Amino acid sequence: MTATARKIEEQIQELPLQDLIALYPRIIEAMYAKEDAEGLDPAFRNDILRRIDDIDTGRAEGVDAFKALNEL
């Protein structure tokens, strides 16, 4: 992770929930735009979409990303 990303991560942790909710779709859109530009394997993209759907529909339970990263 770059120094810029670490700084953003620190700032994100200080944001109120409403700001995080507002940023979420923008981050996802930016990720997909870069993914398309960088030619990410379509199978990988489909796997990501399936996993998101599993969480959204309750078939799978998500884990707090910051907690998971700290456990690595």
Side-chain angles (χ1 to χ4, degrees):
M1 185 182 317
T2 65
T4 301
R6 278 193 280 287
K7 184 175 182 179
I8 292 170
E9 178 184 8
E10 290 172 9
Q11 293 173 341
I12 285 172
Q13 292 178 16
E14 296 175 11
L15 290 175
L17 180 58
Q18 291 298 76
D19 287 348
L20 291 172
I21 292 169
L23 283 173
Y24 176 76
R26 294 177 185 175
I27 292 169
I28 298 301
E29 288 173 16
M31 181 182 72
Y32 284 131
K34 282 203 179 264
E35 168 186 282
D36 290 341
E38 295 176 10
L40 186 64
D41 183 344
F44 183 66
R45 181 180 190 157
N46 289 338
D47 188 49
I48 292 169
L49 293 173
R50 180 188 56 78
R51 289 173 187 232
I52 291 170
D53 185 59
D54 285 348
I55 291 170
D56 288 346
T57 60
R59 288 189 301 265
E61 186 175 321
V63 176
D64 180 86
F66 296 113
K67 182 178 178 183
L69 290 173
N70 285 334
E71 292 176 2
L72 290 178

